[in-house]
């Protein structure tokens, strides 16, 4: 009986070693699975799309490539994993793809063409909010003084929040301004109005707003941690002041 038990133990040990070895070989093979990643970068209104640095940001190491004249980049032997892909070009706004899942294998993977927008030479010198005094809805007028060379193509992306720390990463609502501009010698005035969503900002609450000069005003990537849209083609280091206003009471619309 004792000999039988010993034999069972030996068989069990051998089986465990075989299973463990096979699992390690499978794990090693899976970890080493790699492939090719390609894509294109384009500059709005330009024919030479070379010189963009493409950075594959992973947990272990960073891999870089540079686009050619057509805007194409190629990255070989990229291991399977989840990466952030960063696109840098001097004089252009940075763009990022967060949480890109790369599988690898024999078939190359390709990402969509990424447009990059040139940085604006413009600053927002001041900005204020004014109640327009509408009867049944809350509409606010925005008046901003701007300076710089790119005001003819001026757009501003506005971010609304319920705290003075509102910014392009911490906001409740965002929209693009109109471009109604009154020009002076060196200072230009942009003026437009917008309707306040009183479900998000109820009457009596304090509303905060900040603006940034914007080139490609609709380009964004999604922050995978909190789901926030990060609008990339704005001048993040040239924001306006934060303006605030108490959302006024309005009569209810009679049906």
């Amino acid at each position: 009986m004792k000999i039988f038990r010993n034999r069972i133990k030996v068989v069990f040990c051998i089986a465990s070693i075989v299973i463990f070895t096979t699992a390690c070989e499978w794990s090693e093979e899976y970890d080493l699975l790699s492939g090719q990643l390609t894509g294109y970068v384009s500059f709005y209104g330009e024919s030479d799309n070379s010189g963009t640095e493409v950075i594959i940001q992973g947990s272990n190491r960073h891999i870089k490539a540079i686009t050619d004249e057509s805007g194409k980049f190629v990255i070989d032997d990229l291991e399977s994993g989840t990466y952030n892909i960063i696109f840098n070009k001097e004089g252009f706004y940075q763009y990022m793809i967060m949480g890109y899942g790369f599988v690898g294998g024999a078939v190359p993977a390709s990402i969509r063409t990424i447009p990059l927008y040139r940085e604006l030479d413009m600053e927002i010198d001041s900005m204020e909010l004014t109640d327009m005094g509408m009867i049944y809805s809350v509409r606010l007028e925005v008046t901003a003084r701007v300076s710089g060379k790119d005001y003819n193509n001026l757009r501003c992306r506005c971010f609304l929040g319920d705290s003075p720390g509102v910014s392009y990463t911490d906001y409740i609502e965002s929209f693009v301004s109109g471009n109604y501009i009154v020009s002076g010698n060196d200072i230009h005035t942009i003026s437009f109005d917008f309707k306040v969503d009183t479900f998000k900002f109820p009457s009596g609450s304090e509303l905060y707003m900040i603006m940034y000069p914007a080139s490609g005003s609709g380009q964004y990537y999604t922050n995978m941690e909190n789901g926030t849209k990060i609008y990339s083609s704005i001048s993040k280091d040239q924001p306006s002041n934060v303006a605030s206003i108490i959302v006024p009471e309005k009569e209810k619309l009679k049906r």
Side-chain angles (χ1 to χ4, degrees):
M1 188 69 172
K2 187 175 182 180
I3 296 174
F4 178 73
R5 290 178 179 175
N6 289 339
R7 287 179 178 177
I8 291 178
K9 289 181 180 179
V10 171
V11 172
F12 178 78
C13 290
I14 293 174
S16 299
I17 292 171
V18 171
I19 292 172
F20 178 77
T21 303
T22 304
C24 290
E25 290 176 353
W26 179 85
S27 176
E28 181 179 359
E29 180 181 356
Y30 178 80
D31 290 341
L32 294 177
L33 184 63
S34 61
Q36 185 183 83
L37 175 67
T38 66
Y40 286 87
V41 176
S42 66
F43 306 143
Y44 181 76
E46 301 186 28
S47 57
D48 184 359
N49 296 305
S50 64
T52 298
E53 183 181 52
V54 182
I55 303 172
I56 309 297
Q57 187 182 66
S59 57
N60 297 324
R61 61 192 180 105
H62 294 178
I63 302 171
K64 297 182 180 180
I66 302 295
T67 58
D68 61 18
E69 186 174 355
S70 69
K72 184 178 181 179
F73 68 90
V74 178
I75 296 175
D76 293 312
D77 299 323
L78 181 63
E79 294 182 5
S80 300
T82 301
Y83 299 94
N84 295 335
I85 307 177
I86 303 170
F87 301 87
N88 282 327
K89 169 75 172 178
E90 185 176 358
F92 290 78
Y93 294 112
Q94 183 189 86
Y95 184 72
M96 179 186 296
I97 299 175
M98 293 189 71
Y100 178 80
F102 180 73
V103 177
V107 179
S110 180
I111 63 174
R112 68 187 189 281
T113 299
I114 301 298
L116 294 186
Y117 295 88
R118 188 172 291 279
E119 294 177 350
L120 294 175
D121 180 11
M122 189 186 71
E123 294 184 2
I124 303 174
D125 299 317
S126 64
M127 185 263 293
E128 63 181 13
L129 300 175
T130 306
D131 176 22
M132 294 185 68
M134 305 296 288
I135 298 177
Y136 296 117
S137 65
V138 178
R139 297 195 72 89
L140 301 180
E141 182 179 28
V142 182
T143 305
R145 289 163 58 86
V146 300
S147 61
K149 297 179 180 179
D150 292 329
Y151 68 90
N152 286 327
N153 297 317
L154 170 62
R155 289 188 183 92
C156 289
R157 179 158 282 279
C158 307
F159 296 87
L160 306 178
D162 57 5
S163 77
V166 62
S167 70
Y168 70 93
T169 60
D170 185 8
Y171 65 93
I172 296 175
E173 184 177 340
S174 179
F175 64 91
V176 177
S177 73
N179 55 354
Y180 177 71
I181 299 176
V182 178
S183 298
N185 293 328
D186 298 316
I187 302 296
H188 315 279
T189 301
I190 177 172
S191 179
F192 60 94
D193 66 88
F194 69 98
K195 184 177 180 179
V196 176
D197 185 345
T198 52
F199 286 99
K200 296 179 180 178
F201 306 100
S203 297
S205 63
E206 192 158 13
L207 169 65
Y208 296 87
M209 177 175 168
I210 192 169
M211 294 169 55
Y212 298 81
S215 183
S217 55
Q219 188 182 52
Y220 69 89
Y221 59 88
T222 302
N223 186 326
M224 303 301 292
E225 295 180 358
N226 56 23
T228 301
K229 291 181 179 179
I230 304 296
Y231 292 90
S232 56
S233 52
I234 61 175
S235 298
K236 300 180 180 68
D237 58 345
Q238 295 177 330
S240 70
N241 57 293
V242 175
S244 65
I245 193 170
I246 302 297
V247 180
E249 294 281 349
K250 295 297 173 183
E251 295 181 30
K252 294 182 179 180
L253 183 63
K254 295 179 181 179
R255 297 184 180 278

